[in-house]
Amino acid sequence: MLETLVLVHPVLDNSWINFDVNALVQNFWSATFDGLTFGAIYGLIAVGYTLVYGVLNLINFAHSEVFIVGAYGVVITLTSLGFGPSAPNLSPAAIIGDLLLALIVGMAASAFTAWVLERVAYRPLRKRNAPRLVFLITAIGASFTIQYLIFLIRGANAEPAVTMFIPTPIFDVFGTIVNSQQIIIVVASVILMIATDWFIRRTRTGRGIRAVAQDADTATLMGVNKERIIQITFITGGILAGAAALFYVMLVPSGVIYNGGFILGVKAFAAAVLGGIGNVRGALLGGLLLGVIGNYGQILLGDSQWTDVVAFVVLVLVLLIKPTGILGTSLGRSRA
């Protein structure tokens, strides 16, 4: 009877699931380091979601396009400097200089996009005291608008591959090589997150951001320029998205396409929720966890298509236990 059932309904055959614990054990460290590398990128993008939500209680679904505009800025800059599918024959100092220039262009492109998005899409709605649902619909509409503007300008095909340098082995962990590319991405991302956290907690502008996040009306009465703070919040998220764009192109040289920010943006948003939406430190933690858990899942189940499924299942389970996320503190209530 069971055999007949399997023949009639082949989808019930369990051959499509390969629960292989041995594969996870054998590839544990490589999966961990690869997951941390991608997770660091998720974390940087997630800060944009978490800052805007903390200040405006708005899920800025167009932030994925803020990221992808920065990625185009990085690719176009590096292509103009002579980078291509093969690593350039340049001195280390020249490569570092070119990458810094690409980083600045990517940050500037993403920050400008975020600034325009706030001015054109969200500020008019705030002046009219529009309902939150209108903000959400506008964010989705802005996301598709930016996508198809890029489509009209750059076309439907992915940008040509841009290889920045050949990764070199740095050290060995239980037989797994950790290379220079992984170290650069993770270390640079952590430094940027620490700088952002310091900026939010220790500077006058950062105190203004936390004040507006806690109570915008009271902050305004105390002399805080709410509109300026909101602009800075969007620009800060854009700057970090531009940095993430450089690291993404470094890791996926041919991954820049007009709609390429969507899935990455969804993962970054999930990372922000997992760590605690509105919590800057939670964004990094959520990103790292999401990257690692997704990698473990695809190895354990034997198919890369399970990466996102496992990550989001874990997200749901965490939220069932702790709805505010792992760290859970909102931006407005963060301690100085």
Side-chain angles (χ1 to χ4, degrees):
M1 183 67 178
L2 179 59
E3 292 177 358
T4 304
L5 184 62
V6 171
L7 288 174
V8 175
H9 300 283
V11 72
L12 298 179
D13 186 356
N14 66 356
S15 62
W16 63 290
I17 297 179
N18 181 23
F19 197 80
D20 192 344
V21 177
N22 289 331
L24 178 59
V25 172
Q26 293 171 5
N27 297 279
F28 177 80
W29 289 108
S30 62
T32 299
F33 294 125
D34 288 342
L36 289 174
T37 306
F38 275 102
I41 296 173
Y42 300 156
L44 284 178
I45 303 172
V47 174
Y49 288 102
T50 220
L51 285 175
V52 171
Y53 180 84
V55 171
L56 291 177
N57 286 329
L58 165 69
I59 304 299
N60 179 21
F61 283 115
H63 189 62
S64 56
E65 277 57 56
V66 171
F67 158 79
I68 207 65
V69 168
Y72 272 94
V74 169
V75 169
I76 292 170
T77 301
L78 291 177
T79 302
S80 302
L81 292 171
F83 286 72
S86 301
N89 186 20
L90 298 172
S91 67
I95 292 177
I96 291 172
D98 289 345
L99 294 188
L100 287 175
L101 177 60
L103 176 65
I104 292 170
V105 172
M107 285 179 165
S110 289
F112 178 74
T113 304
W115 177 77
V116 171
L117 186 64
E118 190 276 327
R119 295 275 298 188
V120 174
Y122 300 136
R123 181 175 292 190
L125 297 179
R126 290 201 310 277
K127 289 183 177 179
R128 291 172 173 80
N129 293 319
R132 295 198 184 279
L133 181 60
V134 175
F135 280 90
L136 180 62
I137 295 171
T138 301
I140 296 171
S143 174
F144 283 109
T145 300
I146 296 173
Q147 274 189 35
Y148 286 98
L149 282 175
I150 297 173
F151 172 82
L152 290 173
I153 297 170
R154 302 298 297 182
N157 297 324
E159 294 295 307
V162 176
T163 301
M164 302 179 192
F165 58 89
I166 298 175
T168 56
I170 301 298
F171 57 86
D172 181 298
V173 178
F174 299 107
T176 299
I177 300 297
V178 178
N179 62 49
S180 54
Q181 187 182 77
Q182 293 171 316
I183 291 176
I184 289 171
I185 292 173
V186 174
V187 171
S189 297
V190 170
I191 290 172
L192 285 170
M193 294 294 286
I194 291 173
T196 303
D197 187 67
W198 177 86
F199 170 72
I200 296 295
R201 292 171 182 271
R202 299 298 179 187
T203 66
R204 183 177 181 179
T205 302
R207 288 195 294 271
I209 291 173
R210 288 187 285 117
V212 172
Q214 186 170 0
D215 190 328
D217 293 334
T218 303
T220 301
L221 291 174
M222 297 298 291
V224 176
N225 187 330
K226 183 177 74 172
E227 293 300 325
R228 176 175 170 272
I229 289 297
I230 291 172
Q231 282 186 14
I232 292 173
T233 300
F234 273 84
I235 290 171
T236 301
I239 288 172
L240 294 176
L246 175 71
F247 301 146
Y248 177 74
V249 174
M250 188 182 295
L251 203 57
V252 187
S254 58
V256 180
I257 189 170
Y258 75 99
N259 60 356
F262 177 74
I263 294 298
L264 208 63
V266 171
K267 290 182 180 179
F269 172 65
V273 175
L274 179 62
I277 189 74
N279 188 304
V280 175
R281 296 176 182 180
L284 177 60
L285 176 62
L288 295 176
L289 287 176
L290 203 70
V292 170
I293 290 168
N295 266 16
Y296 290 165
Q298 72 167 350
I299 293 174
L300 189 63
L301 298 173
D303 193 329
S304 61
Q305 294 182 7
W306 284 100
T307 303
D308 300 337
V309 175
V310 171
F312 283 107
V313 167
V314 172
L315 170 64
V316 171
L317 292 176
V318 170
L319 294 180
L320 286 173
I321 298 170
K322 193 171 183 183
T324 57
I326 295 173
L327 297 186
T329 305
S330 69
L331 185 67
R333 297 179 182 176
S334 60
R335 299 164 69 181

